Amino acid sequence: MEMYEAVVVGAGPAGCMLAQTAGKRCNILLVESRDLHVPVEEGREKSCGGLLNPTAQETLAKLGLALPKEVLESPQVFAIRAIDYDTNQERYYPKHYININRGAFDRWMLSEALISPRVELCDRTTVTGYTPYTDYVEVTLRGADGITRQIKTRYLVGADGAASLVRRRLEQKYCGPDEPRFPIRRYVSLQQWFPMEEELPYYVALFDQRVTDYYSWMIPKGGQVILGAAIPEGKNVRGRFQYLKHRVRATGFSLGTPEREQGAILLRPYGPGSVYLGKGRVFLAGEAAGLISASSEEGISYALSSGTALGEALLRRGTPEETEDLYRKRVMKLRWGLAIKSMKSIIMYDPKLRGAVFRSGLLSMNVK
């Protein structure tokens, strides 16, 4: 039976950064359910707005990574138009995001991870189960051909996003079905892509309690515009999204017939207590660990940082207890950042408090 230092489930930013970091001296198997042999434009990219915030940019800079031009998407704009339908106000705020093609970004991250010969990619493959033992974890994989096989690994890492099977199995084993230790809310992130009928020189943040208690967005990208919303799971997602399109059109935005649609489960943490880094020989990174902003649902920066932190911990090749302790210490700064984002979200998503901030004009700018 094959034996690896770590099996990493998910070839997104968290999984790729872990593989790139730990792959310097460890044998890593990177498992991905998507078909990564098809062109980017034909692949199944993550439902994501595709914006790199300054924290993500800083993380890439510290790692000595520079974005290739094929990852960049036009237009590059530097402001957000925030529209509050609950209080009938709007403001413009300066923001320096880098607009990217998320599919191309993931492929680039993967190419960086696969530079090391110690990193092996296994795409079109899913993890159907795993069993932790004292000295290793036995993982069951199923390929696109339906054939299953078992492999052994010193550590299993769930970097498989909001719907993480690795996390669900861990919580079932250690937390019990009636007492979840790591409270977290589930939303549906729904996006539609429309042809851009007019130039949009800013990103748009939309607030409307009739759509969601979170927020919605518009992002110009490659001659199209994305309209998206994070809506509580089970709350008439489709109907609320249709209402959002009606409000946006009534505001004056030209939206024709959508050309494609994406949807995914999204986690919304309550705060640092929602973070679950794993137990024993099973670890979690990125959104699977609950590392995602409670105020903006931004997750790429947390994925990059947590993947790097866990990779560095695995490089030490200590005991599971030592590895877990080192990982927790290295993500402590991220958890404090989540605490700040959680406090910010209290203001952002309370209509009265948000309305007061809009009226004050704090940090806003004038746009002609």
Side-chain angles (χ1 to χ4, degrees):
M1 188 179 291
E2 301 169 77
M3 183 72 170
Y4 295 90
E5 183 71 17
V7 170
V8 182
V9 187
C16 286
M17 286 310 306
L18 189 155
Q20 181 184 2
T21 304
K24 297 171 184 176
R25 294 198 301 272
C26 302
N27 292 328
I28 307 292
L29 178 65
L30 195 54
V31 179
E32 174 57 55
S33 61
R34 293 173 293 175
D35 184 351
L36 298 178
H37 292 84
V38 300
V40 170
E41 59 272 13
E42 297 178 17
R44 193 184 82 240
E45 67 181 83
K46 180 179 173 63
S47 180
C48 170
L51 300 175
L52 290 184
N53 71 358
T55 303
Q57 297 169 35
E58 181 181 344
T59 301
L60 292 173
K62 288 180 178 178
L63 294 170
L65 297 174
L67 293 175
K69 64 180 181 180
E70 60 266 21
V71 170
L72 301 178
E73 192 70 271
S74 63
Q76 298 292 332
V77 299
F78 309 104
I80 286 183
R81 179 184 175 186
I83 303 175
D84 189 345
Y85 289 120
D86 296 318
T87 62
N88 292 318
Q89 299 182 83
E90 68 174 70
R91 290 284 183 180
Y92 289 85
Y93 296 93
K95 288 291 181 180
H96 186 72
Y97 295 135
I98 295 179
N99 199 355
I100 62 170
N101 180 307
R102 179 56 196 269
F105 177 75
D106 282 357
R107 299 297 181 91
W108 169 68
M109 291 292 303
L110 179 61
S111 69
E112 292 290 329
L114 294 178
I115 289 176
S116 170
R118 290 181 174 271
V119 179
E120 177 186 344
L121 173 65
C122 189
D123 68 344
R124 295 178 296 170
T125 301
T126 57
V127 171
T128 59
Y130 62 89
T131 304
Y133 294 98
T134 303
D135 298 323
Y136 63 91
V137 181
E138 185 175 284
V139 184
T140 302
L141 304 179
R142 183 172 62 200
D145 54 8
I147 297 175
T148 62
R149 62 187 176 108
Q150 281 74 41
I151 59 174
K152 289 183 179 180
T153 177
R154 285 195 68 204
Y155 295 102
L156 173 65
V157 179
D160 45 345
S164 172
L165 177 139
V166 179
R167 176 169 178 149
R168 292 200 309 272
R169 294 290 177 87
L170 267 181
E171 291 182 325
Q172 290 168 3
K173 181 176 177 62
Y174 294 110
C175 302
D178 300 322
E179 297 182 359
R181 285 175 52 195
F182 307 94
I184 202 158
R185 292 162 287 183
R186 288 165 61 92
Y187 284 66
V188 175
S189 173
L190 182 61
Q191 295 189 147
Q192 289 185 346
W193 299 62
F194 298 84
M196 187 180 293
E197 299 181 4
E198 58 185 32
E199 189 69 24
L200 199 61
Y202 43 71
Y203 306 118
V204 184
L206 304 158
F207 303 92
D208 191 330
Q209 290 285 310
R210 284 161 291 191
V211 176
T212 178
D213 59 354
Y214 214 173
Y215 85 111
S216 307
W217 57 89
M218 293 179 67
I219 300 173
K221 195 177 293 285
Q224 296 176 304
V225 60
I226 301 173
L227 174 65
I231 301 172
E233 189 178 36
K235 296 291 185 179
N236 186 22
V237 172
R238 184 66 60 181
R240 290 179 178 224
F241 193 81
Q242 289 298 117
Y243 176 76
L244 172 65
K245 288 195 289 186
H246 168 74
R247 291 302 301 266
V248 167
R249 287 176 173 133
T251 303
F253 293 102
S254 298
L255 296 179
T257 302
E259 297 180 341
R260 61 186 173 117
E261 181 178 290
Q262 296 173 323
I265 295 297
L266 173 75
L267 300 185
R268 184 183 182 186
Y270 286 96
S274 300
V275 176
Y276 184 25
L277 299 178
K279 192 174 183 68
R281 292 186 177 275
V282 183
F283 293 107
L284 301 167
E287 193 175 357
L291 290 166
I292 185 170
S293 171
S295 61
S296 67
E297 75 176 77
E298 190 277 326
I300 295 179
S301 66
Y302 293 97
L304 295 172
S305 297
S306 62
T308 303
L310 182 51
E312 292 170 344
L314 292 176
L315 278 177
R316 296 293 184 91
R317 294 192 174 183
T319 66
E321 293 76 18
E322 291 170 338
T323 303
E324 180 179 346
D325 183 61
L326 181 58
Y327 182 35
R328 291 185 185 280
K329 288 178 180 178
R330 288 184 179 273
V331 299
M332 186 59 67
K333 184 178 179 181
L334 297 182
R335 300 183 79 157
W336 279 111
L338 281 177
I340 295 172
K341 295 292 186 181
S342 296
M343 289 186 287
K344 180 181 178 181
S345 71
I346 294 174
I347 299 173
M348 285 184 63
Y349 299 111
D350 181 290
K352 292 182 179 179
L353 295 177
R354 185 176 63 245
V357 172
F358 272 51
R359 284 190 294 273
S360 74
L362 181 67
L363 303 179
S364 66
M365 65 181 187
N366 295 321
V367 175
K368 294 181 179 180

